Amino acid sequence: MKKLFALVLALALALSVAACSGGASTTPAPSAKPSAAPSAAPQKLIKVGFAQVGHESDWRTASTKSVQAALSKEKGFDLRFVDCDNNSAKQLEAVRSFIQQQVDYIVIAPIVSTGWDTVLTEAQSAKIPVIVLDRTIDDSTKYVTWIGSEFTNEGLAAGAWLKDYAKAKNIKDLNILVIKGTTGSSAEIGRTKGFEKIAKENGWKILDQQDGNFTQDGGQKVMESYLKSYKDKFNVVVCQNDNEAFGAQDAMKAAGVTYGVNGKVILISFDACKAALKQVLEGKINADFQCNPLQGEFLADAIKKLAAGEKVPAKTYMKEPWYVAEDILKSITYTNNAGQTVTEPLIKVTQAIADAAY
Ligand code: GYE
């Protein structure tokens, strides 16, 4: 009986190895010489070209590391990584070079959400499936799947938190400065849309919204200019990522403006990387809405499924918690981007949470 079970298992394994190695769209089927035992044949690596946005933030570094770890040689991948340095022309060029290299799959983390249809048509003609990671592509549907975050919900959640927080602290007037992420990126578009909706509903004043390009330097420069134009006129700063928040803090510190739990300015951020959660713990950022960059395993899983001829979902959303510095609110309730009323917990950051963050 045991022997029979082992035999069935061995057969199943041999079959699944054969299915995997022959499944990728541009990989030729292995020649079926009777003498070559399947286990002795060297594993064919799946060639994946990854056009990454750049290296602008802690989030991005974590994203790159996550993909590199999940798509390693040991795990069966030949990963060709291009850092596109936040340059859209360079990103299109990277995708075209992957088409020329005849990779099996192309992964794009699109810098901006438009301008994609032509190159995706080229990939389609070359029969190379495209997977979109992180930000979305909004002017083409020529890709097989997308893995990323619901950016509009992140913005809505930030607004819902600010509404309840201001009420709990009896703050009547909200005068808000927003440091946006890269203009035209879906992360910027979604966070802006979500937050603006709540601001409008509550009659808050958004004094200004300028692009800090998701970098610390960008955040600092925008904040320096805000401090000149809006000195003493604002009590909320919303940074669309943590690195911008670090830059904004430097500018406020230099100008003698206090922020965070014991400061004059409520500071809100997105991403929730380790360095930022330490600041939430210390009360230097009031609330941080996580965007989860650890997408590598989901990506590897999707590619393996496609290579095996299996179906993958059109969209995969990352799970993302909301972090706060104080204990006064336990949850927020808001209408999400799908029109559902949701109640989500607010997590007060502890040392253990900050230590475990990406
Ligand atoms: O929030 C920011 C990064 O696209 C979700 O890009 C990503 C954003 C992230 O630079 O830190």
Side-chain angles (χ1 to χ4, degrees), residues 56-57 59-60 134-135 151 187 191 214 240-241 271 291:
E56 73 284 1
S57 63
W59 190 100
R60 192 62 53 198
D134 166 24
R135 302 176 185 174
F151 302 118
R191 287 171 192 162
F214 283 132
Q240 287 187 349
N241 84 339
D271 279 2
C291 184

Side-chain angles (χ1 to χ4, degrees), residues 13 25 187 256 258 312 343:
L13 268 173
S25 62
T258 58
V312 294
T343 297

Side-chain angles (χ1 to χ4, degrees), residues 166 170-176 203-205 234-236 266:
N170 203 21
I171 302 168
K172 294 261 154 17
D173 280 334
L174 293 177
N175 295 296
I176 304 165
W204 300 338
K205 258 186 261 109
F234 63 96
N235 58 353
V236 180
I266 298 168

